[in-house]
Amino acid sequence: MKLTLGPVLYNWKPEAWRDFYFRIAEEAPIDTVVVGEIVCSKRSPFIAEHIPAVVERLSACGKDVVMGSLTLMSLTRERNAMAELAAAPELTMEVNDLSCLGMLGDRPHAIGPFVNIYNEATAKYFASHGAKRICLPPELPLTAIRTIAAALPDVIFEVFGFGRAPLAISARCYHARLNKLSKDNCKFVCEQDPDGLAVFTLDNEPFLAMNGVQTLSYACTSVLGEIDDLTEAGVRSLRLSPQQCDMVEVAKVYRDVIDGKRSVAEGAAALTTIYPVPVANGFLYAKPGSTFITNVTEAQRTARAL
């Protein structure tokens, strides 16, 4: 089992974004790193000047670098930017918007978790057009993951292993609307919430998090207890999504649990200290994604019944 670092989903200060990747390059036991602005193209200019240095540092430290596409393209300039990225022969693109497939032709590429791959037939379609690695959507149960991975043993399958799970993308900006601003004149207010802004239910319980045009879970996905099951199911990499915490330490915890250097309980205790947010693994058991399953035997039994 390898580790992938997903792209930063939030609007971080450019220098903090750059320095984050520099530290990942030099200290984190990560195999593959996805780089780029995938949520909102208006943020792209802030990090653009740092991308070459980040890619160079990551590559020099032995990381495989993948460039993420936008999740939703709606403007001509966005399409042009993604066409330019797709045309770069030295880079591997991770497709998050299906429009990018036409730009790539059948050249080798990756598929991100924002593309709805819910069965083996869909996975086979993408593989037949050049997809070499596929990060499955975070809402898939383990039974579906096992079936899809078994159908394509030559494809590297990845699942969402840590972080607030990305759930939806919109053409409207929630952060702008909340602050009574238009999307075109948002003043980049999303930078005020570098870990997302909690959304509460009517009972005042945190349920979701918003990040500009994106909706995420409030709870942090944690699959430490399912690593053996995911390995047996054919998953070859876990995706760690950057949060406002020490992601180098998060990567070390996952690497240690995978390698048997820490128990699941020890790893879970360490994660609670590193990122003190409620954890969730419900999707893997066909349960509500915001829940954390501890009675695994019962959850697996009911999931099979479904």
Side-chain angles (χ1 to χ4, degrees), residues 157-226:
F157 281 99
E158 181 180 307
V159 299
F160 201 85
F162 174 86
R164 287 183 164 156
L167 302 175
I169 199 83
S170 172
R172 294 189 176 188
C173 178
Y174 307 119
H175 259 97
R177 189 176 182 86
L178 179 66
N179 287 275
K180 297 181 171 55
L181 299 168
S182 68
K183 183 180 179 183
D184 291 338
N185 187 33
C186 66
K187 298 182 180 179
F188 302 100
V189 290
C190 55
E191 71 178 2
Q192 299 171 9
D193 299 293
D195 209 40
L197 179 63
V199 178
F200 292 80
T201 66
L202 294 177
D203 294 324
N204 205 35
E205 293 290 334
F207 176 53
L208 299 171
M210 67 181 189
N211 168 40
V213 297
Q214 186 181 45
T215 303
L216 305 104
S217 66
Y218 176 79
C220 177
T221 298
S222 175
V223 301
L224 282 177
E226 290 74 36

Side-chain angles (χ1 to χ4, degrees), residues 272-294:
T272 300
T273 301
I274 297 168
Y275 191 54
V277 171
V279 293
N281 62 1
F283 281 137
L284 284 179
Y285 299 101
K287 299 293 183 181
S290 60
T291 59
F292 186 72
I293 303 301
T294 55

Side-chain angles (χ1 to χ4, degrees), residues 107-187:
R107 296 199 306 278
H109 59 273
I111 299 289
F114 306 92
V115 176
N116 293 336
I117 297 179
Y118 294 145
N119 54 56
E120 61 272 33
T122 306
K124 287 179 179 178
Y125 171 83
F126 287 112
S128 70
H129 288 278
K132 302 302 181 185
R133 60 186 301 138
I134 296 174
C135 184
L136 294 168
E139 63 268 29
L140 278 181
L142 185 57
T143 50
I145 293 170
R146 181 179 290 109
T147 299
I148 295 171
L152 290 161
D154 294 332
V155 173
I156 297 173
F157 281 99
E158 181 180 307
V159 299
F160 201 85
F162 174 86
R164 287 183 164 156
L167 302 175
I169 199 83
S170 172
R172 294 189 176 188
C173 178
Y174 307 119
H175 259 97
R177 189 176 182 86
L178 179 66
N179 287 275
K180 297 181 171 55
L181 299 168
S182 68
K183 183 180 179 183
D184 291 338
N185 187 33
C186 66
K187 298 182 180 179

Side-chain angles (χ1 to χ4, degrees), residues 254-276:
Y254 272 80
R255 188 73 265 163
D256 284 351
V257 173
I258 291 169
D259 294 342
K261 296 178 180 178
R262 295 196 215 191
S263 67
V264 171
E266 290 171 336
L271 285 184
T272 300
T273 301
I274 297 168
Y275 191 54

Side-chain angles (χ1 to χ4, degrees), residues 11-259:
N11 188 7
W12 290 359
K13 298 290 187 182
E15 292 75 17
W17 183 91
R18 176 202 61 201
D19 293 346
F20 167 77
Y21 281 109
F22 281 0
R23 184 166 178 240
I24 289 294
E26 295 168 359
E27 301 179 34
I30 295 287
D31 303 285
T32 301
V33 181
V34 184
V35 175
E37 177 55 55
I38 73 166
V39 174
C40 177
S41 65
K42 291 183 67 177
R43 304 173 184 173
S44 298
F46 297 115
I47 63 171
E49 65 176 299
H50 297 303
I51 287 180
V54 163
V55 171
E56 182 180 1
R57 182 75 66 90
L58 289 167
S59 299
C61 292
K63 318 296 188 191
D64 292 327
V65 181
V66 177
M67 298 300 299
S69 82
L70 283 169
T71 304
L72 179 64
M73 287 188 287
S74 58
L75 302 173
T76 300
R77 64 173 174 79
E78 293 172 341
R79 178 176 175 80
N80 291 341
M82 293 304 98
E84 183 178 345
L85 179 61
E90 72 280 7
L91 299 173
T92 298
M93 175 186 271
E94 179 171 271
V95 172
N96 294 307
D97 185 312
L98 293 182
S99 300
C100 296
L101 290 178
M103 304 171 185
L104 284 165
D106 288 342
R107 296 199 306 278
H109 59 273
I111 299 289
F114 306 92
V115 176
N116 293 336
I117 297 179
Y118 294 145
N119 54 56
E120 61 272 33
T122 306
K124 287 179 179 178
Y125 171 83
F126 287 112
S128 70
H129 288 278
K132 302 302 181 185
R133 60 186 301 138
I134 296 174
C135 184
L136 294 168
E139 63 268 29
L140 278 181
L142 185 57
T143 50
I145 293 170
R146 181 179 290 109
T147 299
I148 295 171
L152 290 161
D154 294 332
V155 173
I156 297 173
F157 281 99
E158 181 180 307
V159 299
F160 201 85
F162 174 86
R164 287 183 164 156
L167 302 175
I169 199 83
S170 172
R172 294 189 176 188
C173 178
Y174 307 119
H175 259 97
R177 189 176 182 86
L178 179 66
N179 287 275
K180 297 181 171 55
L181 299 168
S182 68
K183 183 180 179 183
D184 291 338
N185 187 33
C186 66
K187 298 182 180 179
F188 302 100
V189 290
C190 55
E191 71 178 2
Q192 299 171 9
D193 299 293
D195 209 40
L197 179 63
V199 178
F200 292 80
T201 66
L202 294 177
D203 294 324
N204 205 35
E205 293 290 334
F207 176 53
L208 299 171
M210 67 181 189
N211 168 40
V213 297
Q214 186 181 45
T215 303
L216 305 104
S217 66
Y218 176 79
C220 177
T221 298
S222 175
V223 301
L224 282 177
E226 290 74 36
I227 288 174
D228 288 344
D229 289 335
L230 289 166
T231 302
E232 182 273 330
V235 174
R236 292 161 63 183
S237 189
L238 298 179
R239 175 166 296 212
L240 312 181
S241 187
Q243 303 291 157
Q244 280 286 295
C245 65
D246 192 336
M247 288 301 298
V248 170
E249 289 302 312
V250 169
K252 289 179 179 178
V253 168
Y254 272 80
R255 188 73 265 163
D256 284 351
V257 173
I258 291 169
D259 294 342

